[in-house]
Amino acid sequence: MTLQEAMSARHKVSKYKDTPLSADVVRKLNDRIEAQNQEYGLNMQLVTESKDAMPGVIAALMSKGVKNYIILAGPDTPDVDEKLGYSSADLMLYAQTLGLNSWWIGGMYSRKNAKKNSKAGDNAKIIGIVVVGYGQDQGAPHKSKAASDVSSYEGNAPEWFKAGVSAVLLAPTAMNKQAFTIKGKGNQVSMTCDNGSYSGADLGIGKYHFELGAGKDNFEWA
């Protein structure tokens, strides 16, 4: 499975089988996480075989079998949310290519336990977690806006722009708001996201998906 194929296959999964990740899968995930950390100056970290990701009530009512997760942490800088969103999008799709499922959580995870398990230091910012594992099912597509609701292009939109927008609409966003505004002119593209405290993370996730759908060589960010 390619990353492009993973975009269509990946859906939110909140209930997982009691199947441990193999040593090979853990190694591949850690290698991918380390590559993202090195490239973007982040402190993301994989936690395995731990049931402390979710508060007790939420774990009982909304999830099952969650025991592997990636802590989304980095230096508390103005652009860290976007960097973590961008990198987490890559990690979710990469996990899908390994036969795993995932769940991006920004509000319902245990902040106390994430901070306790993180090696990023007291001054790091943690914006959420990405649960990974073998889902009891493959999830279902989320309700999506139309491309015209989130994008516009000056003139006739090229196929790469349309493909990029379609890819963005496959991306997970906080509360499924898809609060994107994507504008194109020539080979220049701009993207903004207005989703409150989740705007930075959603923007990073959206940009990653747009690049993957459109192809980086076809455009430049304005």
Side-chain angles (χ1 to χ4, degrees), residues 4-216:
Q4 286 82 357
E5 291 169 337
M7 282 194 296
S8 297
R10 196 215 72 84
H11 310 298
K12 184 188 86 171
V13 172
S14 58
K15 295 182 179 180
Y16 291 82
K17 299 176 182 177
D18 190 26
T19 304
L21 305 183
S22 70
D24 184 56
V25 166
V26 170
R27 177 184 59 80
K28 289 178 177 177
L29 284 173
N30 277 326
D31 286 349
R32 192 79 169 198
I33 291 168
E34 182 57 25
Q36 293 289 328
N37 283 342
Q38 290 294 322
E39 184 167 359
Y40 298 105
L42 302 173
N43 307 107
M44 298 182 296
Q45 177 185 329
L46 176 65
V47 177
T48 60
E49 295 300 314
S50 175
K51 297 181 179 181
D52 67 358
M54 315 283 285
V57 174
I58 293 175
L61 296 177
M62 300 184 64
S63 67
K64 184 177 181 181
V66 172
K67 58 181 181 178
N68 308 294
Y69 59 97
I70 301 166
I71 301 172
L72 304 180
D76 193 1
T77 58
D79 60 351
V80 71
D81 290 54
E82 183 177 333
K83 287 180 176 179
L84 287 168
Y86 187 95
S87 296
S88 65
D90 177 81
L91 296 174
M92 284 187 289
L93 296 184
Y94 181 67
Q96 192 77 28
T97 70
L98 298 178
L100 303 174
N101 302 100
S102 61
W103 181 14
W104 203 106
I105 305 177
M108 298 184 297
Y109 70 100
S110 172
R111 289 166 174 78
K112 176 183 176 181
N113 290 332
K115 185 174 182 179
K116 177 187 70 175
N117 292 328
S118 175
K119 299 176 183 177
D122 292 338
N123 294 326
K125 183 177 183 180
I126 299 175
I127 69 165
I129 64 172
V130 171
V131 173
V132 292
Y134 298 100
Q136 293 187 9
D137 56 45
Q138 295 301 305
H142 57 245
K143 185 178 180 181
S144 182
K145 293 181 178 179
S148 58
D149 293 330
V150 301
S151 68
S152 61
Y153 188 88
E154 193 169 318
N156 294 322
E159 290 304 313
W160 61 260
F161 183 82
K162 296 177 183 177
V165 173
S166 295
V168 171
L169 293 174
L170 293 173
T173 56
M175 295 167 282
N176 197 31
K177 285 191 173 182
Q178 297 184 321
F180 299 109
T181 300
I182 309 166
K183 297 180 180 180
K185 179 181 180 181
N187 73 333
Q188 299 286 307
V189 177
S190 66
M191 182 187 298
T192 58
C193 183
D194 183 11
N195 196 12
S197 61
Y198 296 103
S199 294
D202 282 358
L203 180 61
I205 293 171
K207 283 187 172 181
Y208 182 90
H209 275 247
F210 189 94
E211 290 179 357
L212 197 58
K216 286 184 178 181

